[in-house]
PDB file of all heavy atoms in Angstrom:
ATOM      1  N   LYS T 235       0.818  -1.204   0.017  1.00  0.00           N
ATOM      2  CA  LYS T 235      -0.007   0.028  -0.051  1.00  0.00           C
ATOM      3  C   LYS T 235       0.828   1.239  -0.079  1.00  0.00           C
ATOM      4  O   LYS T 235       1.919   1.205   0.635  1.00  0.00           O
ATOM      5  CB  LYS T 235      -1.002  -0.049   1.258  1.00  0.00           C
ATOM      6  CG  LYS T 235      -1.805   1.166   1.351  1.00  0.00           C
ATOM      7  CD  LYS T 235      -2.743   0.961   2.568  1.00  0.00           C
ATOM      8  CE  LYS T 235      -3.718   2.198   2.801  1.00  0.00           C
ATOM      9  NZ  LYS T 235      -4.405   2.048   4.010  1.00  0.00           N
ATOM     10  N   VAL T 236       0.456   2.260  -0.782  1.00  0.00           N
ATOM     11  CA  VAL T 236       1.057   3.519  -0.665  1.00  0.00           C
ATOM     12  C   VAL T 236       0.130   4.658  -0.256  1.00  0.00           C
ATOM     13  O   VAL T 236      -0.905   4.654  -0.873  1.00  0.00           O
ATOM     14  CB  VAL T 236       1.753   3.936  -2.076  1.00  0.00           C
ATOM     15  CG1 VAL T 236       2.350   5.319  -2.027  1.00  0.00           C
ATOM     16  CG2 VAL T 236       2.819   2.798  -2.359  1.00  0.00           C
ATOM     17  N   VAL T 237       0.386   5.413   0.686  1.00  0.00           N
ATOM     18  CA  VAL T 237      -0.268   6.542   1.233  1.00  0.00           C
ATOM     19  C   VAL T 237       0.404   7.916   0.875  1.00  0.00           C
ATOM     20  O   VAL T 237       1.398   8.152   1.279  1.00  0.00           O
ATOM     21  CB  VAL T 237      -0.644   6.405   2.679  1.00  0.00           C
ATOM     22  CG1 VAL T 237      -1.499   7.570   3.086  1.00  0.00           C
ATOM     23  CG2 VAL T 237      -1.395   5.056   2.991  1.00  0.00           C
ATOM     24  N   TYR T 238      -0.431   8.816   0.141  1.00  0.00           N
ATOM     25  CA  TYR T 238       0.182  10.032  -0.279  1.00  0.00           C
ATOM     26  C   TYR T 238      -0.401  11.124   0.676  1.00  0.00           C
ATOM     27  O   TYR T 238      -1.522  11.373   0.662  1.00  0.00           O
ATOM     28  CB  TYR T 238      -0.345  10.274  -1.723  1.00  0.00           C
ATOM     29  CG  TYR T 238       0.258   9.242  -2.771  1.00  0.00           C
ATOM     30  CD1 TYR T 238      -0.407   8.112  -2.965  1.00  0.00           C
ATOM     31  CD2 TYR T 238       1.389   9.500  -3.394  1.00  0.00           C
ATOM     32  CE1 TYR T 238      -0.001   7.232  -3.806  1.00  0.00           C
ATOM     33  CE2 TYR T 238       1.905   8.546  -4.228  1.00  0.00           C
ATOM     34  CZ  TYR T 238       1.302   7.391  -4.461  1.00  0.00           C
ATOM     35  OH  TYR T 238       1.672   6.439  -5.444  1.00  0.00           O
ATOM     36  N   GLY T 239       0.490  11.692   1.423  1.00  0.00           N
ATOM     37  CA  GLY T 239       0.078  12.782   2.254  1.00  0.00           C
ATOM     38  C   GLY T 239      -0.488  12.319   3.625  1.00  0.00           C
ATOM     39  O   GLY T 239      -0.836  11.097   3.929  1.00  0.00           O
ATOM     40  N   MET T 240      -0.846  13.320   4.617  1.00  0.00           N
ATOM     41  CA  MET T 240      -1.378  13.043   5.737  1.00  0.00           C
ATOM     42  C   MET T 240      -2.885  13.299   5.834  1.00  0.00           C
ATOM     43  O   MET T 240      -3.535  13.205   6.894  1.00  0.00           O
ATOM     44  CB  MET T 240      -0.717  14.052   6.912  1.00  0.00           C
ATOM     45  CG  MET T 240       0.743  13.703   7.140  1.00  0.00           C
ATOM     46  SD  MET T 240       1.374  14.309   8.655  1.00  0.00           S
ATOM     47  CE  MET T 240       0.915  16.112   8.482  1.00  0.00           C
ATOM     48  N   GLY T 241      -3.400  13.712   4.740  1.00  0.00           N
ATOM     49  CA  GLY T 241      -4.799  14.079   4.715  1.00  0.00           C
ATOM     50  C   GLY T 241      -5.179  15.482   5.287  1.00  0.00           C
ATOM     51  O   GLY T 241      -6.311  15.767   5.599  1.00  0.00           O
ATOM     52  N   ILE T 242      -4.154  16.271   5.334  1.00  0.00           N
ATOM     53  CA  ILE T 242      -4.272  17.733   5.795  1.00  0.00           C
ATOM     54  C   ILE T 242      -3.804  18.548   4.647  1.00  0.00           C
ATOM     55  O   ILE T 242      -2.777  18.643   4.323  1.00  0.00           O
ATOM     56  CB  ILE T 242      -3.441  17.945   7.036  1.00  0.00           C
ATOM     57  CG1 ILE T 242      -3.793  16.989   8.206  1.00  0.00           C
ATOM     58  CG2 ILE T 242      -3.648  19.474   7.470  1.00  0.00           C
ATOM     59  CD1 ILE T 242      -2.851  17.124   9.508  1.00  0.00           C
ATOM     60  N   GLU T 243      -4.773  19.235   4.038  1.00  0.00           N
ATOM     61  CA  GLU T 243      -4.695  20.009   2.753  1.00  0.00           C
ATOM     62  C   GLU T 243      -3.481  20.844   2.781  1.00  0.00           C
ATOM     63  O   GLU T 243      -2.803  20.843   1.843  1.00  0.00           O
ATOM     64  CB  GLU T 243      -5.873  20.832   2.416  1.00  0.00           C
ATOM     65  CG  GLU T 243      -5.917  21.376   1.085  1.00  0.00           C
ATOM     66  CD  GLU T 243      -7.161  22.105   0.701  1.00  0.00           C
ATOM     67  OE1 GLU T 243      -8.080  22.077   1.517  1.00  0.00           O
ATOM     68  OE2 GLU T 243      -7.178  22.608  -0.428  1.00  0.00           O
ATOM     69  N   LYS T 244      -3.229  21.747   3.811  1.00  0.00           N
ATOM     70  CA  LYS T 244      -2.148  22.663   3.736  1.00  0.00           C
ATOM     71  C   LYS T 244      -0.759  22.008   3.699  1.00  0.00           C
ATOM     72  O   LYS T 244       0.097  22.610   3.171  1.00  0.00           O
ATOM     73  CB  LYS T 244      -2.366  23.657   4.874  1.00  0.00           C
ATOM     74  CG  LYS T 244      -2.076  23.025   6.269  1.00  0.00           C
ATOM     75  CD  LYS T 244      -2.162  24.150   7.396  1.00  0.00           C
ATOM     76  CE  LYS T 244      -2.091  23.568   8.823  1.00  0.00           C
ATOM     77  NZ  LYS T 244      -2.209  24.600   9.774  1.00  0.00           N
ATOM     78  N   TYR T 245      -0.683  20.758   4.211  1.00  0.00           N
ATOM     79  CA  TYR T 245       0.575  20.104   4.036  1.00  0.00           C
ATOM     80  C   TYR T 245       0.702  19.273   2.785  1.00  0.00           C
ATOM     81  O   TYR T 245       1.705  19.246   2.110  1.00  0.00           O
ATOM     82  CB  TYR T 245       0.801  19.250   5.312  1.00  0.00           C
ATOM     83  CG  TYR T 245       0.680  19.984   6.626  1.00  0.00           C
ATOM     84  CD1 TYR T 245      -0.125  19.337   7.676  1.00  0.00           C
ATOM     85  CD2 TYR T 245       1.264  21.176   6.896  1.00  0.00           C
ATOM     86  CE1 TYR T 245      -0.110  19.966   8.950  1.00  0.00           C
ATOM     87  CE2 TYR T 245       1.117  21.740   8.155  1.00  0.00           C
ATOM     88  CZ  TYR T 245       0.513  21.106   9.174  1.00  0.00           C
ATOM     89  OH  TYR T 245       0.412  21.783  10.313  1.00  0.00           O
ATOM     90  N   ASP T 246      -0.390  18.624   2.519  1.00  0.00           N
ATOM     91  CA  ASP T 246      -0.360  17.750   1.258  1.00  0.00           C
ATOM     92  C   ASP T 246      -0.169  18.617  -0.073  1.00  0.00           C
ATOM     93  O   ASP T 246       0.365  18.240  -0.909  1.00  0.00           O
ATOM     94  CB  ASP T 246      -1.660  16.969   1.138  1.00  0.00           C
ATOM     95  CG  ASP T 246      -1.738  16.048   2.353  1.00  0.00           C
ATOM     96  OD1 ASP T 246      -0.839  15.813   3.004  1.00  0.00           O
ATOM     97  OD2 ASP T 246      -2.875  15.392   2.577  1.00  0.00           O
ATOM     98  N   PHE T 247      -0.639  19.932   0.055  1.00  0.00           N
ATOM     99  CA  PHE T 247      -0.465  20.876  -0.982  1.00  0.00           C
ATOM    100  C   PHE T 247       1.073  21.117  -1.356  1.00  0.00           C
ATOM    101  O   PHE T 247       1.585  21.225  -2.457  1.00  0.00           O
ATOM    102  CB  PHE T 247      -1.142  22.189  -0.674  1.00  0.00           C
ATOM    103  CG  PHE T 247      -0.817  23.289  -1.689  1.00  0.00           C
ATOM    104  CD1 PHE T 247      -1.816  23.425  -2.812  1.00  0.00           C
ATOM    105  CD2 PHE T 247       0.108  24.233  -1.521  1.00  0.00           C
ATOM    106  CE1 PHE T 247      -1.567  24.396  -3.767  1.00  0.00           C
ATOM    107  CE2 PHE T 247       0.238  25.213  -2.518  1.00  0.00           C
ATOM    108  CZ  PHE T 247      -0.608  25.262  -3.650  1.00  0.00           C
ATOM    109  N   GLU T 248       1.928  20.886  -0.230  1.00  0.00           N
ATOM    110  CA  GLU T 248       3.275  21.061  -0.463  1.00  0.00           C
ATOM    111  C   GLU T 248       4.087  19.792  -0.687  1.00  0.00           C
ATOM    112  O   GLU T 248       5.366  19.831  -0.734  1.00  0.00           O
ATOM    113  CB  GLU T 248       3.857  21.815   0.857  1.00  0.00           C
ATOM    114  CG  GLU T 248       3.358  23.218   0.929  1.00  0.00           C
ATOM    115  CD  GLU T 248       4.043  24.184   2.021  1.00  0.00           C
ATOM    116  OE1 GLU T 248       4.971  23.494   2.642  1.00  0.00           O
ATOM    117  OE2 GLU T 248       3.817  25.196   2.208  1.00  0.00           O
ATOM    118  N   GLY T 249       3.433  18.638  -0.675  1.00  0.00           N
ATOM    119  CA  GLY T 249       4.084  17.404  -1.000  1.00  0.00           C
ATOM    120  C   GLY T 249       5.099  17.034   0.073  1.00  0.00           C
ATOM    121  O   GLY T 249       6.158  16.726  -0.203  1.00  0.00           O
ATOM    122  N   ARG T 250       4.623  16.920   1.306  1.00  0.00           N
ATOM    123  CA  ARG T 250       5.541  16.712   2.538  1.00  0.00           C
ATOM    124  C   ARG T 250       5.794  15.313   2.899  1.00  0.00           C
ATOM    125  O   ARG T 250       6.794  15.075   3.543  1.00  0.00           O
ATOM    126  CB  ARG T 250       5.063  17.647   3.668  1.00  0.00           C
ATOM    127  CG  ARG T 250       5.082  19.100   3.467  1.00  0.00           C
ATOM    128  CD  ARG T 250       6.494  19.600   3.740  1.00  0.00           C
ATOM    129  NE  ARG T 250       6.591  21.113   3.293  1.00  0.00           N
ATOM    130  CZ  ARG T 250       7.733  21.645   3.161  1.00  0.00           C
ATOM    131  NH1 ARG T 250       8.712  21.098   3.415  1.00  0.00           N
ATOM    132  NH2 ARG T 250       7.736  22.812   2.758  1.00  0.00           N
ATOM    133  N   MET T 251       4.860  14.373   2.610  1.00  0.00           N
ATOM    134  CA  MET T 251       5.086  13.031   3.064  1.00  0.00           C
ATOM    135  C   MET T 251       4.423  12.034   2.177  1.00  0.00           C
ATOM    136  O   MET T 251       3.361  12.308   1.728  1.00  0.00           O
ATOM    137  CB  MET T 251       4.334  12.987   4.617  1.00  0.00           C
ATOM    138  CG  MET T 251       4.682  11.770   5.455  1.00  0.00           C
ATOM    139  SD  MET T 251       3.263  11.177   6.460  1.00  0.00           S
ATOM    140  CE  MET T 251       2.256  10.289   5.055  1.00  0.00           C
ATOM    141  N   ILE T 252       5.031  10.891   2.231  1.00  0.00           N
ATOM    142  CA  ILE T 252       4.543   9.706   1.473  1.00  0.00           C
ATOM    143  C   ILE T 252       4.931   8.503   2.302  1.00  0.00           C
ATOM    144  O   ILE T 252       5.957   8.450   2.903  1.00  0.00           O
ATOM    145  CB  ILE T 252       5.024   9.679  -0.024  1.00  0.00           C
ATOM    146  CG1 ILE T 252       4.413   8.553  -0.688  1.00  0.00           C
ATOM    147  CG2 ILE T 252       6.642   9.562  -0.073  1.00  0.00           C
ATOM    148  CD1 ILE T 252       4.849   8.506  -2.291  1.00  0.00           C
ATOM    149  N   ARG T 253       3.996   7.486   2.299  1.00  0.00           N
ATOM    150  CA  ARG T 253       4.285   6.253   3.116  1.00  0.00           C
ATOM    151  C   ARG T 253       4.056   5.043   2.318  1.00  0.00           C
ATOM    152  O   ARG T 253       3.079   4.998   1.483  1.00  0.00           O
ATOM    153  CB  ARG T 253       3.163   6.256   4.284  1.00  0.00           C
ATOM    154  CG  ARG T 253       3.412   4.968   5.221  1.00  0.00           C
ATOM    155  CD  ARG T 253       2.273   5.063   6.233  1.00  0.00           C
ATOM    156  NE  ARG T 253       1.395   4.061   6.086  1.00  0.00           N
ATOM    157  CZ  ARG T 253       0.005   4.089   6.230  1.00  0.00           C
ATOM    158  NH1 ARG T 253      -0.521   5.307   6.637  1.00  0.00           N
ATOM    159  NH2 ARG T 253      -0.743   3.084   6.166  1.00  0.00           N
ATOM    160  N   ALA T 254       4.956   3.939   2.508  1.00  0.00           N
ATOM    161  CA  ALA T 254       4.806   2.836   1.768  1.00  0.00           C
ATOM    162  C   ALA T 254       4.774   1.616   2.759  1.00  0.00           C
ATOM    163  O   ALA T 254       5.588   1.703   3.761  1.00  0.00           O
ATOM    164  CB  ALA T 254       6.037   2.568   0.923  1.00  0.00           C
ATOM    165  N   ASP T 255       3.763   0.780   2.699  1.00  0.00           N
ATOM    166  CA  ASP T 255       3.690  -0.406   3.623  1.00  0.00           C
ATOM    167  C   ASP T 255       4.174  -1.624   3.003  1.00  0.00           C
ATOM    168  O   ASP T 255       3.844  -2.008   1.913  1.00  0.00           O
ATOM    169  CB  ASP T 255       2.248  -0.477   4.041  1.00  0.00           C
ATOM    170  CG  ASP T 255       1.576   0.592   4.746  1.00  0.00           C
ATOM    171  OD1 ASP T 255       2.379   1.389   5.337  1.00  0.00           O
ATOM    172  OD2 ASP T 255       0.408   0.690   4.848  1.00  0.00           O
ATOM    173  N   PHE T 256       5.087  -2.332   3.784  1.00  0.00           N
ATOM    174  CA  PHE T 256       5.618  -3.632   3.301  1.00  0.00           C
ATOM    175  C   PHE T 256       5.253  -4.648   4.425  1.00  0.00           C
ATOM    176  O   PHE T 256       5.925  -4.608   5.450  1.00  0.00           O
ATOM    177  CB  PHE T 256       7.058  -3.558   3.018  1.00  0.00           C
ATOM    178  CG  PHE T 256       7.552  -2.500   2.107  1.00  0.00           C
ATOM    179  CD1 PHE T 256       7.741  -1.128   2.516  1.00  0.00           C
ATOM    180  CD2 PHE T 256       7.699  -2.760   0.754  1.00  0.00           C
ATOM    181  CE1 PHE T 256       8.186  -0.243   1.649  1.00  0.00           C
ATOM    182  CE2 PHE T 256       8.027  -1.842  -0.213  1.00  0.00           C
ATOM    183  CZ  PHE T 256       8.362  -0.543   0.323  1.00  0.00           C
ATOM    184  N   GLY T 257       4.283  -5.492   4.149  1.00  0.00           N
ATOM    185  CA  GLY T 257       3.956  -6.412   5.210  1.00  0.00           C
ATOM    186  C   GLY T 257       3.487  -5.690   6.532  1.00  0.00           C
ATOM    187  O   GLY T 257       2.650  -4.725   6.385  1.00  0.00           O
ATOM    188  N   ASP T 258       4.145  -5.895   7.755  1.00  0.00           N
ATOM    189  CA  ASP T 258       3.854  -5.244   8.861  1.00  0.00           C
ATOM    190  C   ASP T 258       4.686  -4.125   9.144  1.00  0.00           C
ATOM    191  O   ASP T 258       4.706  -3.497  10.242  1.00  0.00           O
ATOM    192  CB  ASP T 258       3.766  -6.244  10.081  1.00  0.00           C
ATOM    193  CG  ASP T 258       5.196  -6.757  10.366  1.00  0.00           C
ATOM    194  OD1 ASP T 258       6.153  -6.589   9.483  1.00  0.00           O
ATOM    195  OD2 ASP T 258       5.484  -7.316  11.395  1.00  0.00           O
ATOM    196  N   LYS T 259       5.413  -3.738   8.171  1.00  0.00           N
ATOM    197  CA  LYS T 259       6.366  -2.614   8.253  1.00  0.00           C
ATOM    198  C   LYS T 259       6.105  -1.419   7.334  1.00  0.00           C
ATOM    199  O   LYS T 259       5.635  -1.675   6.252  1.00  0.00           O
ATOM    200  CB  LYS T 259       7.863  -2.967   8.144  1.00  0.00           C
ATOM    201  CG  LYS T 259       8.277  -4.142   9.134  1.00  0.00           C
ATOM    202  CD  LYS T 259       9.678  -4.637   8.889  1.00  0.00           C
ATOM    203  CE  LYS T 259      10.104  -5.713   9.791  1.00  0.00           C
ATOM    204  NZ  LYS T 259       9.281  -6.967   9.613  1.00  0.00           N
ATOM    205  N   SER T 260       6.376  -0.279   7.770  1.00  0.00           N
ATOM    206  CA  SER T 260       6.065   0.912   6.880  1.00  0.00           C
ATOM    207  C   SER T 260       7.313   1.835   6.888  1.00  0.00           C
ATOM    208  O   SER T 260       8.143   1.978   7.822  1.00  0.00           O
ATOM    209  CB  SER T 260       4.939   1.757   7.473  1.00  0.00           C
ATOM    210  OG  SER T 260       3.701   0.964   7.392  1.00  0.00           O
TER     211      SER T 260
END
């Protein structure tokens, strides 16, 4: 799974965070 942003518009507008899940680790 890949999650783009934190779901907070003012931060996601600036492309601040991305998360990738591998099994039980992220």
Side-chain angles (χ1 to χ4, degrees):
K235 181 180 181 180
V236 177
V237 177
Y238 298 85
M240 296 198 304
I242 301 175
E243 184 177 1
K244 64 179 178 179
Y245 304 137
D246 295 348
F247 180 82
E248 296 191 358
R250 292 280 168 192
M251 194 214 78
I252 185 171
R253 181 184 111 220
D255 296 342
F256 304 88
D258 67 344
K259 300 175 181 66
S260 296

